[in-house]
Amino acid sequence: MNPVHILAKKGDIAEKVLVVGDPGRAELLSSLLESPKLVNKNRGFLVYTGTYRGTRVSIATHGIGGPSMAIVFEELHMLGGNTFIRLGTVGALRPEIGLGEYIIPTGASYNPGGLFFQYVGDLTSVSATPDHEIVSRLITSFASAGRRFYAGNIFSSDAFYAEDEHFVKRWSDRGNIGVEMECATLFFLSRLRGTRSAAVLVVSDNLASGGNWISKEDLERSVIDGAKLILTVFSEMK
């Protein structure tokens, strides 16, 4: 199969890919690479490829939600990507987790059906866990840099505006410390296709303590800081 959304050629995409939801974020983070080249802008899925500390890396836009993530993941994999780390935002589900801090997911809960049913039929559940070696490397990197982070399970939602007054208790009682929209799809498809994946999530809001939101400036600062640590992990991986 040939990609129909990411109109890049084989060789344009590095084996190691940092994926983000926002095309503006991909553009911002491309400045961290040496000699970044825009290899796709079709459909707004900006993809840049360059090097970081001598390691070839792509920074790619995956859009919003599981279906968009699935399309971009599949096409990047077709083009040679085999190790993926998502850098995104997350709503905290515990009051002690602060804005601008990080969550490193150790697994992702999800509502069965929809995208997952399309891939695996009537199986009631499938694994949605990241690569444990990469998670270990990320935890070591963020701890060594003195960054405040939480490692734990998160919930990947399909409906950004569907939270009701019971949402936080329902999902936190099931062991989840944050909510976002793409990790379960990335982890599941990565397992299915034999690739490796993980994620680092910046806490943009806290649903358990009134829903306050981080400022644009503080969010950008945490995103850039987190991206540098992720890219360093990529550079240290064989």
Side-chain angles (χ1 to χ4, degrees):
M1 295 178 63
N2 294 313
V4 297
H5 304 85
I6 308 296
L7 301 184
K9 305 183 297 295
K10 285 192 175 181
D12 286 343
I13 304 299
E15 292 185 357
K16 297 179 175 70
V17 187
L18 172 61
V19 288
V20 299
D22 181 359
R25 190 168 296 155
E27 183 178 15
L28 172 69
L29 297 182
S30 71
S31 65
L32 301 177
L33 302 180
E34 301 162 18
S35 304
K37 178 183 178 183
L38 180 64
V39 298
N40 184 76
K41 61 180 180 179
N42 189 55
R43 295 291 189 101
F45 292 122
L46 301 186
V47 183
Y48 296 86
T49 298
T51 60
Y52 188 84
R53 297 185 180 178
T55 297
R56 196 160 181 263
V57 177
S58 292
I59 297 177
T61 311
H62 61 64
I64 299 175
S68 184
M69 168 63 88
I71 289 170
V72 171
F73 168 85
E74 294 277 30
E75 297 194 359
L76 291 172
H77 180 44
M78 291 175 201
L79 292 166
N82 64 27
T83 304
F84 301 84
I85 299 179
R86 162 166 151 73
L87 175 60
T89 55
V90 63
L93 295 177
R94 289 186 180 173
E96 69 271 18
I97 301 177
L99 303 184
E101 297 176 347
Y102 301 92
I103 289 177
I104 299 176
T106 57
S109 303
Y110 58 91
N111 284 314
L115 179 146
F116 296 93
F117 183 86
Q118 290 288 115
Y119 274 95
V120 298
D122 59 358
L123 292 177
T124 56
S125 66
V126 292
S127 177
T129 54
D131 181 271
H132 297 299
E133 180 191 350
I134 300 177
V135 169
S136 179
R137 286 177 177 270
L138 290 169
I139 287 173
T140 299
S141 177
F142 277 71
S144 297
R147 301 300 179 265
R148 189 170 176 83
F149 69 90
Y150 301 79
N153 211 73
I154 52 95
F155 169 58
S156 292
S157 172
D158 287 333
F160 188 86
Y161 290 107
E163 297 92 347
D164 57 23
E165 64 271 22
H166 306 296
F167 181 90
V168 173
K169 179 173 172 53
R170 179 165 63 248
W171 289 107
S172 62
D173 281 355
R174 296 174 183 178
N176 298 289
I177 63 174
V179 56
E180 52 81 75
M181 301 187 73
E182 294 86 18
C183 282
T185 298
L186 174 62
F187 299 161
F188 155 62
L189 286 179
S190 189
R191 295 283 182 187
L192 186 67
R193 299 301 184 214
T195 66
R196 306 170 74 191
S197 66
V200 173
L201 307 172
V202 179
V203 177
S204 59
D205 58 307
N206 191 312
L207 283 74
S209 61
N212 293 328
W213 282 79
I214 193 172
S215 70
K216 179 181 178 181
E217 294 76 18
D218 287 345
L219 176 60
E220 185 173 293
R221 188 159 36 249
S222 289
V223 165
I224 292 173
D225 198 22
K228 289 177 180 177
L229 292 172
I230 292 169
L231 291 170
T232 299
V233 166
F234 272 151
S235 72
E236 295 171 347
M237 292 173 60
K238 303 298 182 183

